Amino acid sequence: MRRRSDVVEAWTTLAVAVLLFLGAPLAGVAAAWWAHDAARAVAAAERADRHRVRAEVVGRVPGSPSPAQSGGEHTVRAEVRWGEPGRQARTAVARVPAAARHGDRVDVWFDSRGRAVSPPPDATTVWQHTVTVGAAVTGGAVALVLLVHSAVRREALRRRLAEWERDWARLGPEWTRRRA
């Protein structure tokens, strides 16, 4: 005996298999591709806006917060000094590696307005962003498909039990009659 709920559940299982093995990975690849293009554009814009300066650490900033994590290394705020050809020496407060001491030379990044900023993202950072977005979208698609599949199965079970109850109400009295 084949009930309608059984047919719906079978087709749903087939659709879930296709979506899990083809749809979710394709969604992840498409999202990763988009994220990679966007991250490369952001990195290129930041590289165009920022410039690196080789500066000398001249002192720590009083009341500087504890070391912060920046690009995989701990940094602290410190006063740095550098000279540009044809100009007098300049100073600014920037993030430097936590291990930097007075007199050490460090690379510091500034934007077009002269503010100390973090370095622009490198190729590794762009790829990390790409993989993270792709994996997150794939995982989200898998979770969504499984959630919908669970809801469909729950509804199919509810309908199947209702059909069985209805059939038993109709056929039960014939089976439970006493034979004389």
Side-chain angles (χ1 to χ4, degrees):
M1 199 152 104
R2 188 173 71 179
R3 291 181 165 79
R4 183 171 182 230
S5 62
D6 296 330
V7 173
V8 168
E9 193 172 359
W11 279 106
T12 302
T13 302
L14 178 64
V16 164
V18 169
L19 289 173
L20 287 179
F21 293 111
L22 293 176
L26 286 176
V29 167
W33 193 347
W34 171 82
H36 183 74
D37 289 344
R40 283 184 44 197
V42 166
E46 287 185 6
R47 274 193 302 274
D49 182 56
R50 298 174 181 191
H51 62 280
R52 180 175 47 194
V53 173
R54 190 81 173 149
E56 177 183 353
V57 177
V58 292
R60 292 273 161 92
V61 175
S64 178
S66 61
Q69 189 85 17
S70 170
E73 67 179 48
H74 290 285
T75 61
V76 294
R77 290 171 27 127
E79 189 172 351
V80 295
R81 178 179 50 221
W82 74 97
E84 295 176 355
R87 293 186 178 186
Q88 69 183 50
R90 297 176 57 187
T91 60
V93 174
R95 289 218 165 266
V96 300
R101 301 287 172 234
H102 188 279
D104 287 352
R105 306 226 5 114
V106 295
D107 288 329
V108 181
W109 289 83
F110 292 96
D111 64 9
S112 59
R113 297 181 195 162
R115 295 178 301 187
V117 293
S118 61
D122 59 357
T124 302
T125 305
V126 169
W127 277 105
Q128 287 172 341
H129 177 73
T130 300
V131 169
T132 300
V133 168
V137 168
T138 301
V142 166
L144 180 65
V145 167
L146 292 177
L147 182 67
V148 169
H149 180 59
S150 174
V152 168
R153 286 193 63 189
R154 190 176 308 117
E155 181 63 20
L157 177 62
R158 188 187 67 75
R159 287 179 185 251
R160 184 172 28 252
L161 290 175
E163 288 173 4
W164 285 346
E165 188 68 34
R166 195 171 45 248
D167 290 347
W168 181 251
R170 193 184 62 202
L171 298 174
E174 291 179 23
W175 285 51
T176 57
R177 252 187 328 197
R178 291 191 175 201
R179 297 183 186 184

